[in-house]
Amino acid sequence: MGMQQSTYFAYGFRIPDTDNDTLKEALKGQPENARVGFCHGGDYDRDMTFLVTEFHDVDLGDFKVITPESFERYEIPAWNAALHAAALKLGHPDHPQPGWLLIPDVS
């Protein structure tokens, strides 16, 4: 059995662990301009669930350049509203503030 390591750079926040079917159902019918998705990160013993908008894989041995423009995005207010709406649908009204995340995953 081998291990696969991935890293993601995304905008969003962590929510309590949630199964994929529940996430997919809650995220149906979103507007195109602020689409919310999800990803899981962590290791075998500690899986974490995240609601995210902007999302990039960063492969092992690769890198992602982060500049001030990465953080100063005009879409952020729409992303924040969409993330909040998705969190409400999932029953998490007191979610953390959205931010840029670096998410490691070992599976």
Side-chain angles (χ1 to χ4, degrees):
M1 179 169 109
M3 291 191 331
Q4 180 178 349
Q5 298 181 357
S6 304
T7 304
Y8 312 112
F9 177 64
Y11 185 82
F13 49 80
R14 184 177 177 190
I15 61 170
D17 292 340
T18 308
D19 68 86
N20 288 353
D21 291 337
T22 300
L23 291 162
K24 288 176 185 176
E25 185 64 30
L27 299 176
K28 282 184 182 176
Q30 298 178 68
E32 289 294 323
N33 65 334
R35 186 168 295 277
V36 174
F38 64 91
C39 71
H40 298 281
D43 58 29
Y44 291 112
D45 298 327
R46 188 178 51 120
D47 191 36
M48 297 176 283
T49 302
F50 299 87
L51 289 180
V52 298
T53 55
E54 186 76 7
F55 179 89
H56 301 276
D57 286 311
V58 182
D59 295 326
L60 189 62
D62 203 356
F63 65 95
K64 169 93 173 118
V65 176
I66 301 169
T67 65
E69 291 77 23
S70 299
F71 299 99
E72 298 167 1
R73 301 281 299 262
Y74 73 89
E75 302 100 325
I76 287 178
W79 291 347
N80 289 347
L83 286 162
H84 179 68
L88 289 177
K89 280 185 172 181
L90 288 161
H92 306 298
D94 297 325
H95 58 79
Q97 285 285 82
W100 289 102
L101 306 167
L102 185 62
I103 305 166
D105 182 47
V106 178
S107 55

